[in-house]
Amino acid sequence: MSANSADTAGPVEVVLLKAGRTKIRYPAEPLHDDGTRIAVRAPWAASVVRDFGFVRLEPGDVLTEYYWRDRWYAVKEVRDGQGMLKGWYCDITRPATVSAGEVTVEDLDLDLWRSADGRTVVRLDEDEFAASGLAVTDPQAAAAAVRAMDELELLARGGGFESLLA
């Protein structure tokens, strides 16, 4: 898949970078690529339970992940092994790059959770974002990340969130 390709043939690897280093890499099944947004499906990549308090991610969970080449976030729909929707975990990232069978995004520390019923919307890791120093080292990226977080929160609270994924 090239950066502008809508070709979804073959498996892909999702590569999540943090501070320029690979944080995690995992295989995913491509579902759709329209040249701007790519959707993939992957099992929860960790072998252990991760309890955030508002949701537990655990082996058997399946994530349908949406990445944009022109937006500063990724949205991950989280379902349990039986297909029950748990909610959406949103990562604030630099726009995705897609090439040579990889979807690569750089995590910018900010995250947002929206529960399946839409009643719970939680901004996450704002302290990590502030501590990252991005506002000093790359103020334009930091401003784009904050705008992306605000946009996602507005959609998550006010409606229109599901239209992102349609």
Side-chain angles (χ1 to χ4, degrees), residues 42-44 50 52 54-58 60-66 75-81 83-90 112-116 161 165:
W44 168 239
R50 181 132 185 235
F52 291 95
F54 48 85
V55 67
R56 286 171 49 101
L57 298 179
E58 48 203 343
D61 285 352
V62 177
L63 285 70
T64 301
E65 304 177 1
Y66 301 87
V75 176
K76 299 171 182 180
E77 179 183 275
V78 182
R79 292 183 179 270
D80 69 16
M84 178 72 73
L85 179 64
K86 292 183 175 187
W88 295 270
Y89 196 93
C90 307
L112 183 87
W113 170 257
R114 181 179 190 254
S115 62
F161 186 80
L165 314 178

Side-chain angles (χ1 to χ4, degrees), residues 16-154:
L16 181 62
L17 305 174
K18 191 162 185 174
R21 297 179 194 208
T22 300
K23 179 178 175 183
I24 190 169
R25 171 187 290 268
Y26 54 91
E29 170 194 357
L31 301 175
H32 179 75
D33 184 352
D34 65 10
T36 300
R37 184 188 76 184
I38 183 169
V40 301
R41 182 170 297 130
W44 168 239
S47 60
V48 296
V49 172
R50 181 132 185 235
D51 190 340
F52 291 95
F54 48 85
V55 67
R56 286 171 49 101
L57 298 179
E58 48 203 343
D61 285 352
V62 177
L63 285 70
T64 301
E65 304 177 1
Y66 301 87
Y67 299 95
W68 286 263
R69 293 171 176 91
D70 63 349
R71 297 186 188 184
W72 288 70
Y73 52 78
V75 176
K76 299 171 182 180
E77 179 183 275
V78 182
R79 292 183 179 270
D80 69 16
Q82 289 70 48
M84 178 72 73
L85 179 64
K86 292 183 175 187
W88 295 270
Y89 196 93
C90 307
D91 288 317
I92 303 302
T93 66
R94 292 182 188 271
T97 58
V98 181
S99 62
E102 289 185 350
V103 177
T104 304
V105 292
E106 183 177 354
D107 184 354
L108 298 178
D109 293 312
L110 290 171
D111 300 298
L112 183 87
W113 170 257
R114 181 179 190 254
S115 62
D117 63 9
R119 292 184 196 170
T120 303
V121 177
V122 182
R123 291 173 73 111
L124 304 165
D125 303 329
E126 290 178 301
D127 55 338
E128 287 181 35
F129 178 71
S132 75
L134 190 64
V136 173
T137 60
D138 191 345
Q140 289 180 323
V146 169
R147 282 192 305 273
M149 176 66 110
D150 292 344
E151 175 187 338
L152 276 175
E153 182 179 22
L154 184 64

